[in-house]
Amino acid sequence: MASEDVERLLIQFQDENGEFLGSPFDVQLDITPDKLQLVCNALLQTEDPVPLAFFVRGEAEVVSSLGSCVKALGVETEQVLPVVYQPQAVFRVRAVARCTSTLQGHTEAVISTAFSPTGKYLASGSGDTTVRFWDLTTETPHHTARGHTHWVLSIAWSPDGKKLASGCKNSQICLWDPMTGTQMGKTLTGHSKWITWLCWEPLHLNPECRYLASSSKDGSVRIWDTVLGRCEKILTGHTQSVTCVKWGGDGLLYTSSQDRLVKVWRAKDGVQCRTLHGHAHWVNTLALSTDYVLRTGAFEPATATINPQDLTGSLEELKEKALQRYDKVKGSSPERLVSGSDDFTLFLWNPAEDKKPLARMTGHSALVNEVLFSPDTRLLASASFDKSIKIWDGRTGKYLMSLRGHVGSVYQVAWSADSRLLVSGSSDSTLKVWDIKTGKLNMDLPGHADEVYTVDWSPDGQRVASGGKDKCLRLWRR
């Protein structure tokens, strides 16, 4: 075969849902992603061209040239080759590189940290029974919220950023105002054992952010009306501790439990819709493909400013904005759920439609502590006690890569808002920032004196916060 015959190839662009763009056309085999981008954006005819990534047959990403991809896959060059294009985030989050502050104040281990939906506030919950709010402009302590009588195990920001809920080991839930650090309303009591997880109703379903779901060691899930300060519904059905609760964007609640089951409930009347069987041991953690967009509500990370601001606008406007963002991220298919377990496996589900899993994801050699979808929903990260983080395809559950480097259990991970970077915290006392495209370590961040229990990346991309056994909260920036 003469060499000049091989140089060209017929390709056809298609989007992630399989819709074809234009008709097949003839390109040189050594075409680069930049040139593909020019052609594709010309065909898309959009006002503002966005950065794109290209995948041959939807599997192998075109990194250097189309030819090397075709060779690696061993594709026939006779037929028309489908090339899938994926729009990437327009903005870039830069990797954090240094610790700018060590915030002392807690007198026991920091168990949880969370940035508010716009990244304006930071809260932390600790074994010293307090919730602390930190001022991010000066990186100093702001308020200490006292009200719990035992370890604060879980905290959750309402998606409008105006309230923080915290749950403690004494089975009480408190609501706090981040501006003043004072308690809002009365303490919510009702659970008989400690609180394991808290989750607010999504902003696009209720812009008032009135309802809160809590799961507990007592095997029940409660839905609270935070305005009236009372329990609206109790969802019982799990026979052991409920480890996680997620409030989906389509009015469903998802719960995982140590009874090895994942259950799906209708939030409006508390009816149990489905039970998802599959795991052989405790289910520790759940993640929704829409988690990030539900967490940030009406805030769009692409428009973030250096100094984070609270969201302004009427409730209707915020609701509309949140709904647009949710619909865009969700796309045409319903939201997906992934569960991670003590049986070392993960399951990917399509819980709104089917009780059979889409995929069973194996490969970890110890329990899975946390799973997290990337903000663009295309990737999934799982953190495990086998010291590794694994990255999976967020749609099919296919294994993509392992991120190795930690020498202790990986407790928590957090994605950057542009889905290009991942930060992980571990019992080896370090944080590590990973570049997902290359699968390589981007930054190694030592600094903590002991195990790092919790880590969060602010939605505006500015900073990472981490906390752990050394009682300090550390802020990391570029």
Side-chain angles (χ1 to χ4, degrees), residues 259-273:
D259 63 11
R260 313 197 300 275
L261 301 175
V262 175
K263 287 184 187 284
V264 184
W265 317 75
R266 246 198 339 254
K268 65 171 188 291
D269 50 12
V271 171
Q272 188 177 316
C273 311

Side-chain angles (χ1 to χ4, degrees), residues 147-394:
H148 287 295
T149 50
H150 210 319
W151 307 340
V152 180
L153 299 176
S154 173
I155 59 177
W157 284 95
S158 62
D160 62 1
K162 295 194 169 76
K163 314 188 259 280
L164 179 90
S166 59
C168 74
K169 200 163 178 213
N170 254 2
S171 67
Q172 293 172 333
I173 299 167
C174 296
L175 303 170
W176 310 96
D177 178 351
M179 298 284 286
T180 60
T182 52
Q183 191 171 344
M184 300 167 76
K186 57 178 197 279
T187 304
L188 307 176
T189 52
H191 280 299
S192 57
K193 287 188 177 160
W194 65 80
I195 310 294
T196 53
W197 205 269
L198 296 166
C199 192
W200 290 86
E201 182 175 19
L203 189 70
H204 67 264
L205 296 180
N206 182 354
E208 292 173 20
C209 296
R210 180 168 183 170
Y211 295 99
L212 172 75
S214 63
S215 63
S216 165
K217 168 81 174 157
D218 64 16
S220 72
V221 172
R222 285 174 182 251
I223 298 176
W224 307 87
D225 181 332
T226 59
V227 175
L228 298 176
R230 64 164 192 226
C231 179
E232 285 281 297
K233 292 181 200 70
I234 306 176
L235 313 181
T236 52
H238 284 297
T239 54
Q240 285 188 30
S241 169
V242 183
T243 51
C244 186
V245 57
K246 293 280 178 187
W247 199 317
D250 297 328
L252 292 173
L253 283 169
Y254 309 96
T255 57
S256 61
S257 162
Q258 292 186 350
D259 63 11
R260 313 197 300 275
L261 301 175
V262 175
K263 287 184 187 284
V264 184
W265 317 75
R266 246 198 339 254
K268 65 171 188 291
D269 50 12
V271 171
Q272 188 177 316
C273 311
R274 277 198 183 85
T275 300
L276 310 178
H277 298 264
H279 284 296
H281 208 313
W282 298 351
V283 188
N284 296 323
T285 173
L286 291 176
L288 274 175
S289 57
T290 50
D291 268 344
Y292 205 83
V293 70
L294 294 179
R295 167 192 177 175
T296 47
F299 170 71
E300 176 53 70
T303 61
T305 51
I306 294 286
N307 290 327
Q309 301 303 319
D310 274 332
L311 289 169
T312 50
S314 68
L315 289 181
E316 269 312 302
E317 285 164 26
L318 291 180
K319 179 177 179 174
E320 191 47 45
K321 213 164 174 183
L323 185 61
Q324 281 171 1
R325 291 191 63 230
Y326 173 75
D327 286 340
K328 187 177 163 202
V329 166
K330 193 183 81 153
S332 53
S333 53
E335 52 193 4
R336 301 179 301 286
L337 181 76
V338 70
S339 53
S341 158
D342 266 27
D343 66 6
F344 311 171
T345 68
L346 301 99
F347 276 93
L348 182 65
W349 314 87
N350 182 356
E353 294 179 348
D354 198 4
K355 61 177 194 211
K356 289 195 181 64
L358 294 172
R360 176 170 185 254
M361 293 127 81
T362 57
H364 281 299
S365 55
L367 69 89
V368 178
N369 195 51
E370 195 185 29
V371 283
L372 214 53
F373 275 92
S374 62
D376 63 12
T377 78
R378 291 187 189 126
L379 298 171
L380 242 174
S382 58
S384 163
F385 280 19
D386 67 7
K387 308 174 189 172
S388 77
I389 300 136
K390 292 194 190 297
I391 306 291
W392 318 77
D393 184 305

Side-chain angles (χ1 to χ4, degrees), residues 412-415 421-425 431-434 445 455 457 464:
Q412 265 196 352
V413 290
W415 287 93
L421 299 165
L422 184 77
V423 64
S424 56
L431 280 92
K432 295 192 191 309
V433 181
W434 308 89
L445 304 172
V455 53
W457 202 316
V464 166

